[in-house]
Amino acid sequence: MAKNEQTAENAQLKDIIAHAKEYGFVYPSSEIYDGLQAVYDFGPYGVELKNNLKRLWWETMTRLNDNIVGLDSAIFMHPTTWKASGHVDSFNDPMIDNKDSKKRYRADVLIEDKAAQYEKSGDQERAQNLLNAMARLLEAEDLTGVRELIINEGITCPLSGTTNWTEVRQFNLMFSTQVGSVAEDASTIYLRPETAQGIFVNFLNVQKTARMKVPFGIAQIGKAFRNEIVARQFIFRMREFEQMEMQFFVRPGSELDWYKQWAATRMQWHKALGIPEEKLRRHDHEKLAHYANAAMDIEFEFPFGFKEVEGIHSRTDFDLKSHQEYSKKKQQYFDPEINQNYIPYVIETSIGADRLFLMTMCNAYVHENVDGKERTYLKFHPAIAPVKAAILPLTKKDGLPEKGQEIINLLKYDFNIVYEDAASIGKRYTRQDLIGTPFCIAVDHQTLEDNTVTIRHRDTTEQERVAITDLHQRLSEACSFRRIFEKC
Ligand code: GAP
């Protein structure tokens, strides 16, 4: 990408960040104290959008699949969980500090950024060689070699501009805290870095109490915490975030077929949500984690390039086997069809709710110039739009507000509706465009005569006359998850 193109892409992200703040979607956390890096709060429209996305995912998993059930496990877990999962020993990032700026970086990200520069300047081969060299060094845990690579490549600190680097060290990403009322009794526990382990340790509870038969899945939405050092790109990489994970338990030997199936199913879900095909791509992992026998990411083209939104991993029987070993409790399933006991293999689908939110915002953000007129709007799928319709009486008198209220009473039990009677109708349309409301319903004097209203459609700005008695049906058809489910 040429430098001016890159600047335009960054400008687009900046516009989206500014828009998200100004129109009540996302605020920096504790902003009055200058914020906290990589932590964000969701405003009135943000929380509606995020809840809709989470509900869509939840219902896709648990309603469209009669062999998937839900779970809500605690954030705190017995500390041995994280020993068994491998997070205590190997959930690390290689870090390096610049001695002049005192700023800390992820060593691999510095190298990846350098490779991206080569790629953008057209030198694919050099980019690939650099990435291969890094992969070899990291695999061999040769952190001295990683430092030398950074220095030999002339990678400088973006702040100080120098190559005055410290050694590279491994840095564990888990946050820890203490439980216990007196200091001597206190023991270290962790804020979970993924929700998946809550599913694994409850595998038998769920299987027995919900009488599930393999193959079956357990879905969960919840907070996860990682002490990310490279906090960039807005809500893309946060320290406190939400994951939506589903572990699908299958018979050993069938896992790669299921992996293929889930990879296709999840890709189709993103398309059904309205993400254009050319903005999505599949990235197969070449280097697999020690517990996986296949892994891929679904990537979306953010303003800062194609990046992971969701991971699909064939995790073998690693987690259950390890929990069996550490807990000394059998994690086996008796399969009546083949009359055998085994530890199931697992396919995981894992998506960040916040990353899905960012993808949705980036995809929805439209700034256009039509006949010399600038217009910005968020073209959310109506099913996930924070507000479904705005009721806008043309004036504040002649009984129009009361008529508007009648319409709200007809719709409010099923849809998130707002009412606005201040400012000109044009300004009110603009305001609804900016928060992505798909339908504006104008109440005018004709409404009092024939019980019809004007619906103005957000994306086309076209208007049509509709009977009030048809409104509920119209909104139901447009805003139902069914429209997305049918494409899944
Ligand atoms: N249980 C598997 C797992 O946690 P992961 O690739 O580390 O895998 C899965 O994370 C998903 O969680 C990612 O695809 C991303 O959407 C989201 N995610 C991970 N780290 C995140 C962070 N720091 N901020 C926001 N989302 C994150």
Side-chain angles (χ1 to χ4, degrees):
M1 200 185 295
K3 192 149 187 233
N4 54 349
E5 262 178 73
Q6 209 184 338
T7 317
E9 303 294 327
N10 290 340
Q12 198 198 350
L13 182 66
K14 272 196 188 144
D15 286 348
I16 292 168
I17 296 172
H19 190 100
K21 174 148 185 269
E22 188 167 354
Y23 297 104
F25 284 87
V26 183
Y27 315 126
S29 159
S30 37
E31 197 188 4
I32 58 168
Y33 296 104
D34 297 331
L36 181 65
Q37 227 201 0
V39 186
Y40 291 89
D41 299 335
F42 290 81
Y45 303 112
V47 66
E48 293 287 346
L49 174 62
K50 195 170 168 194
N51 282 343
N52 290 342
L53 289 168
K54 288 195 290 185
R55 203 160 56 82
L56 177 69
W57 181 89
W58 184 260
E59 293 187 6
T60 307
M61 286 298 173
T62 61
R63 283 205 197 167
L64 298 197
N65 299 285
D66 57 10
N67 56 358
I68 298 182
V69 289
L71 177 76
D72 183 11
S73 69
I75 287 171
F76 291 137
M77 300 181 71
H78 192 286
T80 310
T81 308
W82 306 110
K83 197 78 195 138
S85 67
H87 284 81
V88 170
D89 295 325
S90 53
F91 194 49
N92 300 320
D93 276 342
M95 310 306 308
I96 191 165
D97 293 35
N98 184 267
K99 291 183 198 162
D100 298 321
S101 67
K102 310 267 182 283
K103 188 110 176 83
R104 179 166 292 171
Y105 299 91
R106 261 178 65 177
D108 54 335
V109 171
L110 285 176
I111 297 170
E112 277 168 12
D113 285 352
K114 186 76 183 177
Q117 278 175 21
Y118 289 144
E119 205 172 317
K120 275 169 206 154
S121 66
D123 200 342
Q124 310 286 349
E125 196 184 334
R126 197 163 179 194
Q128 200 49 54
N129 287 344
L130 179 56
L131 292 175
N132 292 346
M134 176 179 79
R136 276 196 301 275
L137 291 166
L138 286 175
E139 194 151 17
E141 292 181 20
D142 181 356
L143 298 182
T144 310
V146 174
R147 178 176 186 266
E148 277 164 16
L149 190 61
I150 289 175
I151 291 173
N152 292 344
E153 283 291 331
I155 298 174
T156 55
C157 164
L159 279 186
S160 67
T162 70
T163 53
N164 196 6
W165 296 111
T166 61
E167 297 305 309
V168 177
R169 282 164 297 143
Q170 290 290 11
F171 182 90
N172 194 285
L173 297 185
M174 283 198 293
F175 283 104
S176 62
T177 188
Q178 308 293 319
V179 274
S181 49
V182 268
E184 304 88 75
D185 293 345
S187 74
T188 300
I189 57 165
Y190 299 100
L191 273 74
R192 64 180 175 200
E194 63 170 11
T195 58
Q197 296 304 325
I199 296 180
F200 287 123
V201 300
N202 277 295
F203 156 69
L204 280 181
N205 279 339
V206 174
Q207 187 269 318
K208 285 182 180 146
T209 52
R211 292 176 294 124
M212 305 305 287
K213 286 198 172 80
V214 166
F216 76 93
I218 305 177
Q220 165 156 245
I221 300 179
K223 289 268 185 178
F225 304 83
R226 294 181 190 179
N227 197 0
E228 301 280 6
I229 293 303
V230 183
R232 294 192 299 190
Q233 291 141 349
F234 192 36
I235 57 170
F236 181 81
R237 195 176 301 286
M238 304 206 287
R239 296 205 167 108
E240 174 182 342
F241 57 101
E242 269 182 289
Q243 283 188 320
M244 307 195 285
E245 300 201 292
M246 194 278 297
Q247 313 294 322
F248 199 73
F249 300 90
V250 303
R251 210 177 264 172
S254 68
E255 72 275 11
L256 291 179
D257 289 337
W258 282 108
Y259 168 74
K260 232 164 126 184
Q261 195 167 315
W262 276 110
T265 304
R266 294 304 302 151
M267 184 61 99
Q268 185 53 34
W269 186 82
H270 290 271
K271 291 181 195 161
L273 188 54
I275 309 297
E277 206 160 336
E278 65 277 10
K279 290 219 147 228
L280 291 167
R281 81 178 183 194
R282 175 188 169 131
H283 166 74
D284 289 284
H285 291 203
E286 279 159 30
K287 184 176 172 278
L288 294 172
H290 58 284
Y291 53 76
N293 64 2
M296 60 156 288
D297 300 332
I298 295 176
E299 296 185 338
F300 170 73
E301 190 177 17
F302 289 97
F304 41 87
F306 272 100
K307 296 275 177 220
E308 172 186 348
V309 176
E310 172 159 9
I312 292 125
H313 315 122
S314 174
R315 288 181 79 130
T316 66
D317 58 353
F318 171 83
D319 300 88
L320 288 180
K321 211 159 141 187
S322 189
H323 286 306
Q324 172 169 290
E325 195 183 313
Y326 277 82
S327 68
K328 313 258 180 300
K329 312 250 166 41
K330 279 215 170 339
Q331 297 298 308
Q332 287 190 337
Y333 167 78
F334 176 71
D335 191 328
E337 278 179 33
I338 53 170
N339 216 16
Q340 260 181 34
N341 275 308
Y342 55 78
I343 297 178
Y345 272 46
V346 174
I347 307 301
E348 165 182 77
T349 74
S350 175
I351 180 166
D354 314 271
R355 227 174 253 190
L356 172 62
F357 181 108
L358 182 59
M359 173 176 82
T360 309
M361 284 292 283
C362 292
N363 189 54
Y365 184 82
V366 181
H367 182 78
E368 63 186 17
N369 189 320
V370 180
D371 303 330
K373 267 196 179 166
E374 306 249 332
R375 186 164 89 98
T376 302
Y377 63 101
L378 298 176
K379 59 169 173 65
F380 296 127
H381 191 298
I384 55 154
V387 175
K388 306 301 184 205
I391 311 297
L392 313 174
L394 219 50
T395 69
K396 282 194 205 173
K397 45 186 200 220
D398 304 334
L400 297 189
E402 290 76 6
K403 196 72 190 168
Q405 197 55 51
E406 260 179 47
I407 300 173
I408 289 185
N409 290 340
L410 264 179
L411 302 174
K412 71 179 179 189
Y413 299 107
D414 297 305
F415 309 100
N416 189 22
I417 305 290
V418 296
Y419 174 88
E420 242 194 291
D421 59 13
S424 72
I425 192 85
K427 279 204 177 124
R428 282 182 273 163
Y429 285 156
T430 301
R431 159 111 195 123
Q432 295 306 319
D433 283 348
L434 292 166
I435 60 167
T437 306
F439 307 107
C440 283
I441 298 173
V443 181
D444 54 22
H445 291 91
Q446 191 186 330
T447 311
L448 302 177
E449 287 162 24
D450 64 4
N451 272 317
T452 62
V453 287
T454 303
I455 294 190
R456 183 249 192 198
H457 296 263
R458 176 197 63 202
D459 299 353
T460 57
T461 73
E462 275 166 16
Q463 304 195 3
E464 58 172 328
R465 206 74 198 170
V466 174
I468 291 175
T469 47
D470 289 343
L471 283 177
H472 194 285
Q473 173 72 9
R474 290 288 291 262
L475 288 192
S476 293
E477 271 169 25
C479 303
S480 163
F481 281 171
R482 196 192 175 107
R483 308 248 332 242
I484 297 175
F485 291 156
E486 280 170 353
K487 293 186 189 156
C488 279

